[in-house]
Amino acid sequence: MAKPLRDIIYDDPKKMFGLNQEDARIAKSYLSVAFITLLIGGILGLLQGLQRAGLMELPAWLNYYQVLTAHGILLILIFTAAFTIGYLYSGFSHTIGGLLPKVRKLAWTGFGLILIGVVLVVATILANEASVLYTFYPPMAASPVFYIGLVFIVLGIWANCFGVFINYNHWRKNHKGQVTPLFAFFTMGVFVLWFFGSLGVTYEVLTLIPWSLGWKETINVMVSRTLFWSFGHTLVNIWYVVASSAWYVALPKIVGGRLFSDKLARVVVILLVILNIPGGFHHQIIDPGITETVKFLHVFMSVSIAFPSLMTAFAMFAVLERAGRRHGGRGLFGWFKKLPWGDVRFLAPMIAMIAFIPGGAGGLINTSNQINQVIHNTLWVVGHFHITVGVSVVLTFFGICYWLIPFISKRKLTLQMNKLGIIQTITWTVGMILMSGSQHLVGLLGDPRRTSYTTYGDHETALSWIPYEYVMGIGATLLLLGVIIQVYAVFNMMFFAPKGETEFPIGESEDDESPTPLWTERWSLWIILMLMVVAMAYVIPIVDFVVNGPPGSPPIKTW
Amino acid sequence: MHRLEEIWLALSAGILVVFMVIVGYQGFALGMGPPSNMDTVDPQKVDETEPFDEPGVYKRGENQYEVIMTLQAFSFNPGDIEVPAGAEVTFTMTSKDVTHGFQIAGTNVNAMVMPGHIQKITHTFDEPGSYLVLCNEYCGTGHQLMSTEITVK
Ligand code: HEM
Ligand SMILES: [Cu+2]
Ligand SMILES: [Cu+2]
């Protein structure tokens, strides 16, 4: 139920006046970094798409693998992190009534650390000292500066994690007996995952630094790879929790409906936090040195993530159906037509959610031991994550921009901007269908990922892939167009759109919904459970790699 | 919880369980598990260690072969392999430098080959033809050139 104005002023005076200037500045800075990064990453993406199809040659000073390393790191690490922090910090500040001054300081410290890290990483990639791709599997060794840059980025993210933890506890102390606002709960879930999920990879990077400096002779390749994926996969679910915060919290309000169930949303977050980290093993299904039994256990652990996702699918359909019927939709599918298709704030996340159906099914395929052998390291995988990250997550991020940015910059979403947003959404969707679709198909035929243009000495099998690669190039071109429109829209809404008040859409519960139980807030318990699951998944294989592992590998530079 | 939601979740859980049973059955009963060999080797002494001191194609039985192969940036040793149609071939592989991938396009042969670890994978080549073997894990500037052929006669 909507609170009377008097109560809002009484509870959270700051909420009345929108986001305060200081918190808005934090959000704007992070979001600016996010979209500048997207622009650069998108341009690199197009270069890849065209180079691979043999439609274009790169200049002598820039090789394909430098481009690919930068594309991977900029987009999946920097773009998503900067967007997530900008978005969650605004919503967090908004729903709990402003950030504490020391939390603001942490956010700015994090901002500085991340920028330093990005400069170090990008400089080493440009100098061709770090063409190791975003996975930086040893024994391929980059310049130590690259790893040091990564440490700065992680520290920057941690600063933001601590900020959220501090502010969350502060709110709980001052609101005894109350559950936190749902948006704040999602925020907490994301930053808990980020912190714990990045511990393993941080340890890995800290071991790579002395090794790349020559202070330590060899490295255990399997341990490094496994620690990397414990993070790599967690990152995927971090995006997914971020995106679903908008699906659960904002979307019901945008479609003029109510929340499905506050409690169910929290249970989904808790499940994702607890179950997530072991999923990383599905990236190692055809690795040596891990027994089939352990691999089978991990298929189970990966598949269990599908369960909260299916809960989400149900909840979203229920919200949309109820909203459609409330607006007069009749019959089995009448409600579907009553949804606000012409509103980009709805259309973009809706397509994102629909994309999660093939995306999720593809994920199940990838994680099953046998089919994984068909598609592992082929372009199928690239198609898979461009549809999951590139559509389900990124298109949700794009949709969020159309209310978040006017909200923080105290401006309005104009009708023209809405129209541009619709055009952007369609461009992106068509581009991704072409690019990701052709990647899926040609991947089934065996075309490997992470490989610059080649015909393998005109082998007929490789020649048969080329038509698909053309389609990939066309999709990539549309996607860059989409990126340009989006970046324009973001900066226009941030600095030039007409002044005004825009609402941060927060869905309300149904009138008859029972109150959310307080036990959902027991984060210490969720963290302990998460660590137990991590221990179940990782202790046996890691001990095995260390105790029964081969002698290590020295650093090698093959580019 | 709503009745419909309960049904949905029960169905979801059911499908996931069936999925697990199939994966497990294929893996453990039909022997279709993913390549997961556990042997190791010193990655800096591959050339001196048996069997990798003599890479090559060895006949192990009636139309059964073993290929002892080393992978290094950017080649497969031995390359250009020939086997008769119907041959069951086991590839025993390791890497002399960084991580590589071993993939035979158009088949289900796909395995990671990592320094320090010995990987094994078996395939029966029923159809005659020229099969493209390629490295599918980025391994350096020449990664896109790392390929060879298997000719089945
Ligand atoms: C203009 C838009 C984009 C285009 C044209 C594009 C194109 C591509 C292409 C062609 C590849 C395959 C390279 C290869 O395996 O050889 C690739 C890889 C990749 N892309 Fe994108 N992409 C775009 C946007 C994105 C976005 C928004 C994300 C994530 C947020 C993303 C994440 C990745 C990742 C993680 C890889 C794998 C890198 C690796 O294998 O090391 N891309 N992209
Ligand atoms: Cu994963
Ligand atoms: Cu290779």
Side-chain angles (χ1 to χ4, degrees):
Chain A
M1 255 223 343
K3 282 194 211 169
L5 194 58
R6 215 188 39 171
D7 285 1
I8 297 183
I9 298 177
Y10 175 77
D11 283 348
D12 279 318
K14 287 180 188 152
K15 220 178 197 174
M16 269 306 296
F17 308 106
L19 202 59
N20 71 57
Q21 280 306 306
E22 290 182 61
D23 296 356
R25 207 168 309 131
I26 294 174
K28 279 188 215 165
S29 308
Y30 274 102
L31 292 171
S32 301
V33 168
F35 285 93
I36 293 168
T37 310
L38 177 70
L39 183 60
I40 301 170
I43 294 172
L44 299 174
L46 178 62
L47 294 184
Q48 285 157 212
L50 297 180
Q51 200 279 356
R52 272 211 76 135
L55 294 170
M56 179 196 138
E57 273 182 48
L58 291 172
W61 51 271
L62 188 68
N63 72 56
Y64 187 82
Y65 303 108
Q66 280 172 290
V67 173
L68 189 56
T69 308
H71 179 79
I73 291 183
L74 287 180
L75 287 175
I76 64 165
L77 200 57
I78 310 304
F79 165 65
T80 59
F83 181 87
T84 300
I85 296 168
Y87 160 57
L88 291 182
Y89 263 68
S90 336
F92 189 53
S93 160
H94 177 59
T95 51
I96 63 165
L99 301 176
L100 297 168
K102 62 178 161 193
V103 172
R104 264 180 223 138
K105 242 179 239 149
L106 277 170
W108 283 118
T109 312
F111 188 73
L113 289 168
I114 292 175
L115 284 192
I116 296 173
V118 172
V119 169
L120 295 179
V121 165
V122 171
T124 36
I125 295 173
L126 279 178
N128 202 16
E129 290 297 326
S131 298
V132 289
L133 308 191
Y134 80 93
T135 43
F136 54 89
Y137 295 138
M140 232 184 230
S143 147
V145 180
F146 174 79
Y147 303 115
I148 293 169
L150 293 179
V151 172
F152 273 98
I153 295 173
V154 171
L155 291 177
I157 291 174
W158 284 0
N160 284 288
C161 294
F162 296 136
V164 167
F165 302 159
I166 291 170
N167 224 329
Y168 190 90
N169 281 330
H170 176 85
W171 192 95
R172 295 278 327 273
K173 269 208 199 88
N174 290 307
H175 296 79
K176 284 252 179 315
Q178 294 181 36
V179 287
T180 45
L182 185 55
F183 192 91
F185 193 86
F186 271 95
T187 307
M188 186 67 179
V190 168
F191 285 92
V192 164
L193 265 182
W194 228 338
F195 181 70
F196 288 94
S198 57
L199 288 174
V201 76
T202 307
Y203 175 80
E204 180 203 349
V205 172
L206 290 178
T207 59
L208 294 180
I209 292 173
W211 170 76
S212 64
L213 281 165
W215 299 347
K216 193 176 141 207
E217 254 170 53
T218 62
I219 197 90
N220 187 318
V221 172
M222 278 306 277
V223 171
S224 302
R225 186 173 161 85
T226 305
L227 292 178
F228 177 83
W229 280 117
S230 73
F231 167 71
H233 183 73
T234 305
L235 193 55
V236 172
N237 277 298
I238 289 173
W239 304 327
Y240 168 43
V241 180
V242 178
S244 51
S245 74
W247 304 345
Y248 274 106
V249 182
L251 201 66
K253 181 84 178 191
I254 291 169
V255 298
R258 295 288 178 89
L259 291 189
F260 175 66
S261 153
D262 183 273
K263 179 174 144 198
L264 176 119
R266 287 174 209 249
V267 171
V268 168
V269 174
I270 294 167
L271 283 177
L272 285 172
V273 168
I274 295 176
L275 295 175
N276 178 352
I277 298 177
F281 270 98
H282 60 218
H283 298 258
Q284 299 178 263
I285 292 175
I286 61 172
D287 277 11
I290 309 174
T291 62
E292 280 187 47
T293 323
V294 169
K295 286 180 183 176
F296 186 68
L297 171 74
H298 284 114
V299 176
F300 173 69
M301 292 193 150
S302 295
V303 167
S304 60
I305 303 269
F307 194 70
S309 306
L310 288 160
M311 288 166 77
T312 302
F314 186 87
M316 291 306 119
F317 268 102
V319 165
L320 295 178
E321 190 204 324
R322 278 192 222 154
R325 292 204 191 283
R326 206 169 271 170
H327 290 92
R330 265 167 235 302
L332 200 52
F333 292 110
W335 57 272
F336 199 69
K337 288 196 212 113
K338 292 282 175 189
L339 295 172
W341 295 101
D343 183 343
V344 62
R345 299 171 314 154
F346 167 74
L347 183 69
M350 183 66 188
I351 294 179
M353 293 193 300
I354 294 171
F356 204 54
I357 300 171
L364 280 175
I365 290 180
N366 300 348
T367 203
S368 59
N369 279 343
Q370 291 80 13
I371 312 185
N372 185 271
Q373 276 186 66
V374 181
I375 51 83
H376 181 81
N377 270 351
T378 66
L379 277 175
W380 166 285
V381 177
V382 180
H384 169 69
F385 59 65
H386 281 94
I387 208 164
T388 46
V389 184
V391 184
S392 293
V393 173
V394 170
L395 204 50
T396 303
F397 289 3
F398 289 174
I400 289 172
C401 289
Y402 294 95
W403 48 265
L404 177 68
I405 294 183
F407 167 76
I408 56 178
S409 59
K410 297 212 187 330
R411 292 174 193 275
K412 272 188 151 57
L413 172 64
T414 58
L415 282 177
Q416 293 99 301
M417 188 52 79
N418 183 56
K419 205 177 271 166
L420 191 66
I422 302 259
I423 295 173
Q424 199 286 334
T425 306
I426 293 170
T427 314
W428 192 261
T429 309
V430 176
M432 273 300 177
I433 290 174
L434 292 177
M435 186 173 92
S436 158
S438 57
Q439 287 169 338
H440 273 98
L441 292 175
V442 79
L444 283 180
L445 301 178
D447 197 355
R449 68 184 284 204
R450 304 183 138 181
T451 303
S452 72
Y453 175 70
T454 175
T455 56
Y456 293 114
D458 287 341
H459 194 283
E460 53 178 340
T461 311
L463 292 176
S464 74
W465 299 331
I466 290 186
Y468 296 91
E469 295 176 348
Y470 284 155
V471 179
M472 190 171 111
I474 297 170
T477 310
L478 279 177
L479 285 171
L480 183 65
L481 184 66
V483 165
I484 292 170
I485 301 176
Q486 183 66 25
V487 172
Y488 166 79
V490 164
F491 287 106
N492 183 287
M493 289 186 290
M494 203 181 283
F495 299 112
F496 305 110
K499 298 252 177 209
E501 288 295 322
T502 297
E503 173 197 30
F504 191 113
I506 301 269
E508 286 152 17
S509 295
E510 297 278 1
D511 297 336
D512 56 355
E513 163 124 2
S514 48
T516 306
L518 255 182
W519 56 256
T520 51
E521 301 278 357
R522 297 187 58 184
W523 282 100
S524 45
L525 179 63
W526 311 142
I527 291 170
I528 290 170
L529 287 174
M530 164 178 84
L531 294 177
M532 281 167 56
V533 173
V534 169
M536 269 162 53
Y538 284 91
V539 170
I540 294 177
I542 298 255
V543 167
D544 197 41
F545 296 151
V546 174
V547 177
N548 300 323
S553 288
I556 299 174
K557 189 177 171 197
T558 47
W559 69 89
Chain B
M1 259 212 250
H2 314 248
R3 186 92 197 102
L4 267 176
E5 192 187 355
E6 280 169 18
I7 297 174
W8 168 259
L9 290 182
L11 270 179
S12 309
I15 292 174
L16 297 179
V17 169
V18 171
F19 177 86
M20 288 302 301
V21 170
I22 296 175
V23 171
Y25 179 73
Q26 288 185 317
F28 296 109
L30 302 182
M32 288 164 62
S36 315
N37 195 42
M38 301 299 288
D39 305 325
T40 60
V41 54
D42 184 339
Q44 301 191 64
K45 301 208 177 93
V46 173
D47 285 334
E48 300 122 67
T49 314
E50 266 190 81
F52 299 105
D53 51 348
E54 289 187 48
V57 184
Y58 297 92
K59 193 160 181 168
R60 297 286 190 227
E62 181 65 41
N63 222 0
Q64 277 184 335
Y65 295 83
E66 181 176 8
V67 179
I68 308 288
M69 184 180 269
T70 57
L71 286 77
Q72 57 266 299
F74 305 100
S75 63
F76 299 89
N77 180 22
D80 296 325
I81 297 166
E82 278 190 28
V83 289
E88 184 194 283
V89 184
T90 298
F91 297 89
T92 303
M93 302 171 284
T94 193
S95 163
K96 287 164 60 172
D97 43 39
V98 298
T99 301
H100 298 276
F102 179 77
Q103 179 188 334
I104 306 179
T107 71
N108 292 352
V109 176
N110 194 343
M112 300 300 294
V113 181
M114 314 189 42
H117 292 268
I118 300 175
Q119 182 66 298
K120 276 180 192 280
I121 191 162
T122 301
H123 183 71
T124 305
F125 292 89
D126 289 323
E127 298 285 322
S130 149
Y131 290 80
L132 174 62
V133 179
L134 57 93
C135 170
N136 68 7
E137 182 58 88
Y138 167 66
C139 55
T141 17
H143 164 62
Q144 70 283 0
L145 304 174
M146 184 161 166
S147 71
T148 187
E149 267 177 64
I150 296 178
T151 310
V152 178
K153 286 198 180 144

